[in-house]
Amino acid sequence: MSLDHRRLCGPEESQPPALWAGTAAEDEEDEEGAGTAPRDPCALQPLFARAGLLSQAQGSAYVELGSGTKVLCAVWGPREAAEPGPGRLLCEFRRAPFAGRGARALEPAVRLGRYPRACLAVSALLLQDGGSALAAAISAAALALANAGVEMYDLAVGCALCRPPAPAASWMLQPTEPEERRAAARLTLALLPALNQVSAVLGGGRGGPPEDWAQALRLGLDGCHRQYPVLRQSLLRQSLLRAAQRRDAAATA
């Protein structure tokens, strides 16, 4: 057999990929489920949040979930808008654009009336997707806006849920990436906990009758309230750090 050096030649004998499709899928399921016990559907993943990491932006925040999801968010502005009108909030999620969806989740939290003819730009970068990425991005964006000194009614807290495909399965809080991939239905919501106001709901799939979706909403709202103190504590920690830096600068001046 003559060789064609312009390309990589495959083996002379091969098997159709359909022959191994079932085995590969079964192996993947076995690897994902091996050694893992059923988890509490109401349990939240460990949440780490920190504000004020990027010196190049007016405000910034980093949010990490226990599943490995990592989101870095930056805020610029307010800047003068090119077109006259009320204040505008532009959001970008650099994995899948959610400009309209993300802005709707955050706008109720921001006092845009304080910024007429101005534009606020929010950019969220997904560093690693371990599941519940959009919910983590919403929380990071709200934290970055507050860190930038933007006047807000409250912090928007995001929470994701999914329902496994098994019959009569319960909704689970903050699903991991494998759990989301196998889910029959998904739900992401954003809440302003201090105002008890839902700012966004996004969901779809086979989630069961309306009362099951209502149960998922109640579970998600509880998850948002439980994450709220962590975000507030991160913001308070950064504010105290800034105050200490100003005192040190004044003392050495």
Side-chain angles (χ1 to χ4, degrees):
M1 173 181 175
S2 61
L3 296 178
D4 186 351
H5 296 284
R6 293 172 297 179
R7 62 174 180 165
L8 295 175
C9 298
E12 294 185 5
E13 296 182 1
S14 61
Q15 300 292 339
L19 180 64
W20 311 104
T23 304
E26 292 171 1
D27 292 343
E28 183 179 355
E29 291 180 0
D30 292 342
E31 290 178 1
E32 291 174 350
T36 59
R39 70 177 182 92
D40 182 1
C42 298
L44 287 172
Q45 296 182 32
L47 170 66
F48 173 79
R50 184 174 176 183
L53 292 179
L54 302 178
S55 59
Q56 300 90 342
Q58 270 74 30
S60 60
Y62 173 80
V63 168
E64 181 175 338
L65 300 179
S67 64
T69 294
K70 302 174 183 179
V71 180
L72 181 63
C73 190
V75 172
W76 293 272
R79 300 171 178 171
E80 185 176 356
E83 300 177 358
R88 298 177 60 198
L89 184 65
L90 302 179
C91 299
E92 178 191 24
F93 189 14
R94 301 215 343 245
R95 173 199 172 217
F98 77 122
R101 194 162 66 224
R104 285 197 296 270
L106 294 171
E107 276 182 358
V110 180
R111 303 186 67 177
L112 289 176
R114 297 282 191 177
Y115 306 99
R117 299 176 59 87
C119 177
L120 289 160
V122 181
S123 177
L125 175 62
L126 180 62
L127 303 175
Q128 183 173 321
D129 187 1
S132 307
L134 178 58
I138 291 172
S139 298
L143 192 59
L145 283 165
N147 178 246
V150 175
E151 293 193 37
M152 304 179 68
Y153 297 106
D154 195 9
L155 287 174
V157 183
C159 189
L161 304 94
C162 81
R163 184 168 189 173
S170 301
W171 285 87
M172 300 193 317
L173 276 174
Q174 285 187 322
T176 63
E177 192 274 335
E179 289 170 343
E180 284 186 329
R181 189 165 8 101
R182 297 191 300 266
R186 301 181 188 180
L187 181 67
T188 299
L189 60 91
L191 176 71
L192 310 181
L195 303 178
N196 201 28
Q197 175 182 338
V198 176
S199 60
V201 177
L202 175 69
R206 299 184 300 275
E211 53 268 24
D212 288 354
W213 286 97
Q215 177 192 4
L217 282 173
R218 289 191 293 270
L219 184 61
L221 293 176
D222 178 68
C224 289
H225 280 292
R226 289 158 59 191
Q227 295 179 83
Y228 189 50
V230 179
L231 300 178
R232 283 181 56 89
Q233 184 64 31
S234 173
L235 194 59
L236 178 61
R237 189 184 307 117
Q238 180 62 22
S239 299
L240 294 174
L241 179 61
R242 283 183 174 179
Q245 291 174 344
R246 287 195 295 267
R247 286 197 303 268
D248 294 341
T252 57

